[in-house]
Amino acid sequence: MKNGIVGAAAAMFLVGTLAGVSGLVGAYPIYGGQAVRYLVASVILLVITRVLGLRFVRMTWRESLCLLGLTLLGLVFFNVAVVESTRASGPALVGTVLGTVPLALALAGGRPAPRLLVGAGVVVAGATLATGLGSGTQESLLWALGALVGEVSFSLLAIPLLPKLGPIRVSAYSTTLAVPMLAVVGLADAGTGMLRVPTLAEALGFAYLAVVVTVVAFFLWYTSLPKLGPGRAGLFAGLIPVAAIVTGGRARGGHADRVRPAGRRPGGRRHPDRPERGTRGRAGGGAAVRGLTALPSYRCA
């Protein structure tokens, strides 16, 4: 992984495998499930830092603000924005907006080379084909744009932290900070119903989300990001829908249906892809990051 290509590709593919576990955790309260996922991941990452002898690093105010922004925008707000946009108008619109992340990262990296812009455009076109163009309300569009800001922040705000903290500590600190934030969101959304004892299948699903999609994928991404830069690293997002189709299709017995995003809920009188707000805390049948399972074009971290 000296040049970062293998790590970035592996990280994005692992994020796409969320499709394979969507059915396991789809009925669990969504924000409570996210808090559980990050709690387990943070414990694992903190243990790893202890085993490796990585001591706590005192950060400057600027670095502390970057870490707080990374957690608040890149993890917590991203989850909320994806869920609420889906609740308002279904998954296609937010999937399409998030499909522009490779282009946004390429532009955010300064003056991108023409080849990089062309590559980002190809990835965006592929993601759009995977999700559909989508349509929705002004509310869902605003939430989708917020999710885009969160996704870009997940990478850009980590860059100034990585030279000093390294990928393991950035992952450990951000996931730890995200737990109480998501717990507050869960309480506001579902009250005390945000948590319940998971079934065996749900426990296995959360274990996969915490270990593979969070601990491993975060480490690989943050290891590769400074080597490639945000523009080149963002191109590998094109592997997410590929992994989603492969693993989602196998999980459904070979039928590669489109992966439904976080926040979709069954039942109710609204459009089947537009979950009712009043349903307390239950994620729908295909409920990523950065919700519990992945949009066809992007992760839910």
Side-chain angles (χ1 to χ4, degrees):
M1 295 195 303
K2 291 183 178 180
N3 58 9
I5 293 176
V6 175
M12 293 297 97
F13 188 88
L14 289 177
V15 169
T17 63
L18 284 161
V21 298
S22 62
L24 298 179
V25 299
Y28 199 89
I30 185 142
Y31 292 123
Q34 282 292 80
V36 170
R37 168 190 172 183
Y38 284 121
L39 175 62
V40 175
S42 65
V43 170
I44 295 172
L45 286 163
L46 289 173
V47 169
I48 292 174
T49 61
R50 182 67 179 271
V51 171
L52 295 179
L54 300 175
R55 297 181 179 180
F56 179 80
V57 176
R58 188 178 298 276
M59 293 178 286
T60 65
W61 278 103
R62 180 178 178 273
E63 292 166 341
S64 298
L65 288 175
C66 283
L67 179 63
L68 182 62
L70 165 62
T71 305
L72 186 61
L73 295 175
L75 299 184
V76 179
F77 181 69
F78 176 90
N79 273 300
V80 174
V82 169
V83 171
E84 296 305 324
S85 179
T86 304
R87 285 176 174 177
S89 294
L93 177 62
V94 65
T96 300
V97 172
L98 287 176
T100 66
V101 166
L103 186 58
L105 286 175
L107 293 174
R111 295 182 177 179
R115 288 188 305 173
L116 184 60
L117 285 177
V118 171
V122 171
V123 174
V124 169
T128 302
L129 288 175
T131 59
L133 290 175
S135 62
T137 63
Q138 182 179 5
E139 177 188 2
S140 64
L141 176 60
L142 290 175
W143 279 118
L145 292 174
L148 176 62
V149 171
E151 184 61 43
V152 172
S153 299
F154 179 76
S155 294
L156 293 186
L157 292 178
I159 291 176
L161 299 173
L162 289 168
K164 185 174 184 177
L165 300 181
I168 294 179
R169 277 182 289 213
V170 169
S171 301
Y173 295 171
S174 60
T175 52
T176 301
L177 288 174
V179 175
M181 296 181 188
L182 285 166
V184 170
V185 175
L187 285 172
D189 181 64
T192 56
M194 64 171 282
L195 292 175
R196 61 169 172 78
V197 177
T199 64
L200 176 59
E202 288 171 339
L204 292 174
F206 281 127
Y208 184 87
L209 290 173
V211 175
V212 177
V213 181
T214 307
V215 175
V216 177
F218 277 33
F219 170 75
L220 290 173
W221 182 251
Y222 283 148
T223 299
S224 303
L225 185 62
K227 298 176 182 178
L228 295 172
R232 292 178 63 198
L235 297 178
F236 291 93
L239 290 174
I240 292 179
V242 175
I245 291 171
V246 172
T247 57
R250 290 181 179 177
R252 293 166 178 79
H255 299 287
D257 298 330
R258 178 170 296 172
V259 183
R260 290 180 292 178
R264 180 172 175 181
R265 300 176 181 178
R269 297 183 179 179
R270 298 180 65 183
H271 188 280
D273 281 342
R274 299 179 187 179
E276 195 69 43
R277 287 184 179 273
T279 307
R280 290 177 61 82
R282 290 185 60 83
V289 16
R290 290 182 221 286
L292 288 181
T293 59
L295 286 160
S297 65
Y298 238 79
R299 69 168 173 80
C300 222

